[in-house]
Amino acid sequence: MKILIINLVILLCLNQKVMCDPFFETLSEHFNNIAISMTKTFSNIKYHMSQMFSPPESPVPPPPVQPTTRQYGEFNYKRTYNDFVEKTAAENETDIPEYINLKSEPTALMSTPQLATLHGRRMESHVINTKDGYLLTLHRISPKLDNTLNNRTIILHHGLLGSSADWVMLGPTKSLPYILSDIGYDVWLPNARGNYYSRGHIKMAVDSEEFWRFSFQEMGEYDLAAVIDYIRSVKNSNDLIDYVGHSMGATALLVLLSTTPRYNQYLRIGVLLAPLAFMSNVDGPFKALTAMALNPPDQLLKLIGRKEFVPSRKMPKWLALKYCKGPLLFCCNPLYFISGGIPQDITTWKVSFLARLLYHVPAGGSTDTMLHYAQIVKSGKFHRFNNANDQFSLNAVTVPMALFSSSDDWLATIPDLLRLYFSIANPIDHYIIRGKNMSHTEFVWGANAEELVYKKVLDFLDQGIKIFSGSKSNEISDLSFLSLR
């Protein structure tokens, strides 16, 4: 009967002037889901048959999931981004009435590719898999101008509890990916495991506890390694890659380069915005986690989540009121609650930007990630999860690095960044922003980010281009034009 109805509708569409695009999109998606399901079924059968006829000591692994490239129109973000946000929207609206007006803003529930399309940009979505089986979404903005920088490649990695959307929040003219694309960069925006664009695994269910047993350690060792390998493969090039990482995005790079030094050979320069490595001088509510970081009690895990960190995307109101001063919209936001920089007056903010910000942030992450940072705060060392004696070897990080910090940042403090500066092998500069109300999140989507941060980032990239022109080496020979501020 279903086949007969489908045939009748197709005949009607072919012979009458009827708009059937939605029908064909649904039909296409339906058959695509069937094909994916059948493929997975046969792969599982093949795997289990191999298990039955192979010796126990050498089981045959399941077939690897090949990376795929999809254009924006082919990727079903309705099931990933919108559902992720909408499932808690009603609850937020009940407790915080301001959410009702924000949700009605057209861009509030748009995904990163949808925002890019709105901004007049062409964005690709690539799905890649890591060595430990996580499926990650990697967004790409091709250069707007041809051969301006010989199609130089750059990775922009989001920060703590963030996503690729963080980089395009400022709109079509002030967002760093667009600025870089306009001058010829091939821009790649990774999404770390656990955020709403990277919630998949070839074996584990997303709602299982084992799926969420990761921290920034795995993001560096597996996620970022997979991203760099994939980009080099797609471009079929050995050209060095530039890297800009904010917050946790900087942490992931330091982990990768210290644990797998060969990746130092693939990068030309690293620009770290408010990097989180040494964190002895952290201020604010995050300090309260440090005493319980190694053996968190059940009461704490019940409050912040055993798997995903604050899965409701909203801090309890009583906790927000106790530790935070400012609009409840921000105090109840887990990222703003932890990182500080709560705006006291939002009347000058555009409603559309406020809606994008509060519906995109936080984008999700694991509780283990937060506990790992808390352990670092407590130990005063940059070390592996649950092991303060196993420190990351920062002297193995040889990529030239420029560090950014702010006097108003609770998490990435100036003294801690000075310690990082003298711990890596090839520091370029430590650029400090003083007295500008530049909090931890303002480095990416702050109103003054373009003027205070991005222009200086471009200076570092430009100077790096001149230094490394005609050379494959990533060693800096003359740093006289830069100074420690």
Side-chain angles (χ1 to χ4, degrees), residues 257-262 264 392-399 423-425:
L257 299 183
S258 61
T259 56
T260 316
R262 67 182 175 87
N264 284 278
F392 295 108
S393 302
L394 289 175
N395 58 356
V397 179
T398 60
V399 173
S423 298
I424 55 181

Side-chain angles (χ1 to χ4, degrees), residues 162-406:
S163 74
S164 57
D166 297 357
W167 295 106
V168 300
M169 209 83 75
L170 289 177
T173 59
K174 295 185 177 183
S175 297
L176 183 57
Y178 303 150
I179 295 172
L180 292 168
S181 175
D182 287 345
I183 60 175
Y185 268 98
D186 183 10
V187 184
W188 295 77
L189 311 175
N191 286 280
R193 63 181 65 192
N195 82 15
Y196 45 60
Y197 293 111
S198 297
R199 295 197 169 196
H201 195 279
I202 61 174
K203 292 181 180 179
M204 295 186 291
V206 177
D207 59 354
S208 66
E209 286 203 19
E210 56 184 347
F211 176 89
W212 293 96
R213 295 282 76 85
F214 62 82
S215 74
F216 60 74
Q217 181 176 311
E218 286 77 15
M219 295 175 194
E221 291 180 336
Y222 298 111
D223 294 6
L224 190 51
V227 167
I228 293 175
D229 289 344
Y230 182 78
I231 293 174
R232 284 165 51 84
S233 176
V234 167
K235 296 178 71 72
N236 191 26
S237 171
N238 291 322
D239 291 343
L240 298 178
I241 299 172
D242 293 347
Y243 187 96
V244 177
H246 172 236
S247 179
M248 186 182 71
T251 314
L253 180 64
L254 295 172
V255 169
L256 173 65
L257 299 183
S258 61
T259 56
T260 316
R262 67 182 175 87
Y263 282 92
N264 284 278
Q265 305 172 19
Y266 305 149
L267 302 179
R268 188 184 67 103
I269 188 173
V271 179
L272 308 186
L273 309 179
L276 300 179
F278 298 111
M279 300 177 67
S280 301
N281 296 282
V282 162
D283 200 359
F286 192 74
K287 292 176 67 175
L289 277 178
T290 59
M292 302 172 282
L294 281 173
N295 297 296
D298 288 340
Q299 296 90 331
L300 176 64
L301 294 178
K302 184 176 180 180
L303 180 65
I304 66 175
R306 295 182 181 276
K307 299 179 291 187
E308 181 181 359
F309 180 71
V310 190
S312 67
R313 303 179 72 246
K314 183 182 63 174
M315 299 301 297
K317 187 184 293 186
W318 67 266
L319 192 64
L321 292 173
K322 182 177 181 179
Y323 290 100
C324 179
K325 295 181 180 180
L328 202 58
L329 271 173
F330 287 90
C331 287
C332 283
N333 184 288
L335 179 58
Y336 270 96
F337 177 79
I338 289 172
S339 63
I342 306 291
Q344 301 302 308
D345 181 16
I346 59 174
T347 57
T348 59
W349 289 37
K350 291 184 179 180
V351 177
S352 59
F353 173 77
L354 186 60
R356 288 196 302 274
L357 180 63
L358 292 178
Y359 271 103
H360 284 79
V361 177
S366 71
T367 295
D368 280 1
T369 298
M370 308 307 295
L371 294 177
H372 196 169
Y373 278 123
Q375 291 172 15
I376 287 176
V377 175
K378 183 177 181 179
S379 69
K381 304 174 183 178
F382 185 44
H383 60 82
R384 291 182 175 274
F385 186 65
N386 279 344
N387 191 347
N389 295 321
D390 191 0
Q391 299 185 59
F392 295 108
S393 302
L394 289 175
N395 58 356
V397 179
T398 60
V399 173
M401 295 282 185
L403 313 181
F404 281 64
S405 66
S406 167

